[in-house]
Amino acid sequence: MLRFLLAFSLIFSVLPAQSQTQSWDDITWITEEFPPWSYTENGELKGFYIDLLEAIWAELGVNKTRDVIQVLPWARGIYYLEHRPGTALFSIAKSKSREKLGFQWVGPVNANNRLVFTVKKDSQLAISSMTEVNTGFGKQSIGVINKDISEEIFLENGGSEAKLHRLNSGSALVKMLVAGRISAIYYKHFQTFYHIRALGYDATEFESIYVVGSSGPNQDSYFAFHKDTDSKLVESFRTAFKTLEEKGVISDLLLKYSPPKLSSE
């Protein structure tokens, strides 16, 4: 009996080490439909982060292609990141609640991809503070993605929940703005203008305004790894990321996907 108990305890004492992600083949790479960072077009996975990940793999000497990347709904992807060892999720912004979960972060990409208020130019809306946002917009007149970090950041920085109109996609936000059913979109700058162009609208007819105090620091994005991923793997990924950054590869990739400059900074 004693021998059995000793063997039993020995088996379980080594399980944590075995469950830790040990090689790149143990990693499951997950992203979402979040153009222009990652998106599917005519059955092909495209986007800035897809190009960047392949460049990092090449820098590491890892023989992988974008075909191994899984595209999942955001809620499922972030659930796997929290609960399934071996998960890598991108692109993901940091928040106070996410940092508490122990993810291992690589980044950020310095894209200046701020959360901004996008309006139609002919609206002649002038906003420069969150106070003006709360007093200048009517009930449910600011469109946000439901459960997106933009909603969380808007409320954290003093925005009134009564102003929000929640929708499920960036394209729906743009359509609602064009139809006059909302007065502004509060969403990432790059993503908003991707949807404007993808829907066939003239980007010069829209204006994005950065309101000081509306989003805190840049909401630029990261690669995030499950907390139990081997730290040596993550550090090698981080080193490859920094090498590409220093070579100018990341800034060159960003040029392919850049929207118009912000009107207020």
Side-chain angles (χ1 to χ4, degrees):
M1 183 66 178
L2 178 60
R3 185 178 298 174
F4 173 81
L5 290 174
L6 287 172
F8 188 83
S9 63
L10 180 61
I11 290 170
F12 277 84
S13 70
V14 300
L15 280 179
Q18 290 177 336
S19 67
Q20 188 180 59
T21 303
Q22 299 291 344
S23 75
W24 294 119
D25 289 335
D26 297 325
I27 299 289
T28 300
W29 302 92
I30 296 176
T31 190
E32 64 167 335
E33 292 287 347
F34 189 52
W37 281 174
S38 52
Y39 61 100
T40 305
E41 185 176 84
N42 298 323
E44 182 182 355
L45 191 55
K46 296 182 176 182
F48 166 78
Y49 264 86
I50 307 302
D51 295 346
L52 176 56
L53 180 55
E54 285 196 326
I56 292 173
W57 284 335
E59 183 69 25
L60 288 168
V62 174
N63 186 25
K64 291 187 182 295
T65 67
R66 60 189 63 196
D67 294 337
V68 305
I69 301 169
Q70 297 183 20
V71 181
L72 298 177
W74 181 251
R76 192 186 310 170
I78 201 162
Y79 176 85
Y80 288 169
L81 179 63
E82 183 176 354
H83 297 284
R84 290 193 176 184
T87 298
L89 179 68
F90 64 94
S91 63
I92 177 171
K94 280 188 180 181
S95 68
K96 294 176 183 178
S97 60
R98 289 173 180 174
E99 288 192 84
K100 292 177 182 178
L101 297 174
F103 303 148
Q104 298 189 63
W105 305 86
V106 175
V109 171
N110 294 313
N112 196 31
N113 190 23
R114 294 183 183 272
L115 288 164
V116 294
F117 293 90
T118 300
V119 299
K120 294 189 69 177
K121 278 189 176 178
D122 59 14
S123 67
Q124 298 182 333
L125 285 170
I127 49 175
S128 59
S129 69
M130 285 300 289
T131 299
E132 290 180 352
V133 169
N134 286 334
T135 59
F137 288 95
K139 185 177 181 181
Q140 295 188 344
S141 63
I142 300 172
V144 296
I145 300 292
N146 189 34
K147 303 300 182 182
D148 182 68
I149 196 168
S150 57
E151 177 184 351
E152 180 180 337
I153 297 297
F154 180 86
L155 297 174
E156 280 183 0
N157 287 280
S160 169
E161 186 167 5
K163 307 296 180 182
L164 297 182
H165 188 110
R166 296 171 174 86
L167 296 166
N168 291 321
S169 70
S171 59
L173 290 176
V174 172
K175 291 175 182 178
M176 291 279 279
L177 180 62
V178 171
R181 296 177 64 186
I182 56 176
S183 301
I185 293 169
Y186 185 64
Y187 196 39
K188 293 285 190 72
H189 190 211
F190 277 58
Q191 281 66 42
T192 299
F193 275 86
Y194 170 87
H195 288 295
I196 288 171
R197 290 164 172 159
L199 289 169
Y201 298 118
D202 184 352
T204 64
E205 296 180 358
F206 300 81
E207 179 179 28
S208 284
I209 304 168
Y210 170 65
V211 174
V212 176
S214 68
S215 64
N218 286 5
Q219 290 299 308
D220 286 330
S221 298
Y222 295 73
F223 293 90
F225 293 82
H226 184 276
K227 64 181 181 179
D228 291 336
T229 305
D230 188 340
S231 60
K232 292 180 181 179
L233 279 183
V234 178
E235 187 56 37
S236 66
F237 193 90
R238 186 176 293 113
T239 298
F241 176 93
K242 290 180 178 178
T243 298
L244 294 179
E245 192 172 45
E246 291 167 359
K247 289 180 178 179
V249 173
I250 293 178
S251 58
D252 288 344
L253 286 175
L254 280 170
L255 289 176
K256 293 172 57 177
Y257 301 98
S258 295
K261 292 182 179 180
L262 296 175
S263 62
S264 297
E265 188 84 58

